[in-house]
Amino acid sequence: MAKALSWRVFALAITTGVSYMLSESVAVAVSIGVVDSAIKIGAYYMHERAWLGIRFGRKQADPTPRGA
């Protein structure tokens, strides 16, 4: 969780910095950064949920119990 949160803060700073360079407005830059983060958090969640239903690349579980 700490790694994920630290990445989001880092990515927010990058997006906000680029937005500020392009807009020269702190308010616009912060708004873009916050909206971008919210959208990406939601998109990531939906992406992970979608991948739960995909079997591609997964190995079948061995039905034999360990130690048997």
Side-chain angles (χ1 to χ4, degrees), residues 5 10-11 13-16 18-19 24 26 29 32-33 39 43 46 49 52 56 58 62 66:
L5 290 174
F10 186 66
I14 292 170
T15 301
T16 303
V18 170
S19 299
E24 297 181 355
V26 172
I32 290 171
I39 290 170
M46 290 186 295
R49 296 288 298 178
L52 286 175
F56 176 77
R58 293 187 188 180
D62 185 8
R66 289 186 176 188

Side-chain angles (χ1 to χ4, degrees), residues 19-37:
S19 299
Y20 178 74
M21 286 189 273
L22 295 173
S23 70
E24 297 181 355
S25 168
V26 172
V28 169
V30 169
S31 296
I32 290 171
V34 170
V35 170
D36 177 71
S37 286

Side-chain angles (χ1 to χ4, degrees), residues 47-61:
H47 178 264
E48 289 298 308
R49 296 288 298 178
W51 268 101
L52 286 175
I54 297 173
R55 294 183 182 195
F56 176 77
R58 293 187 188 180
K59 294 182 181 179
Q60 292 267 337

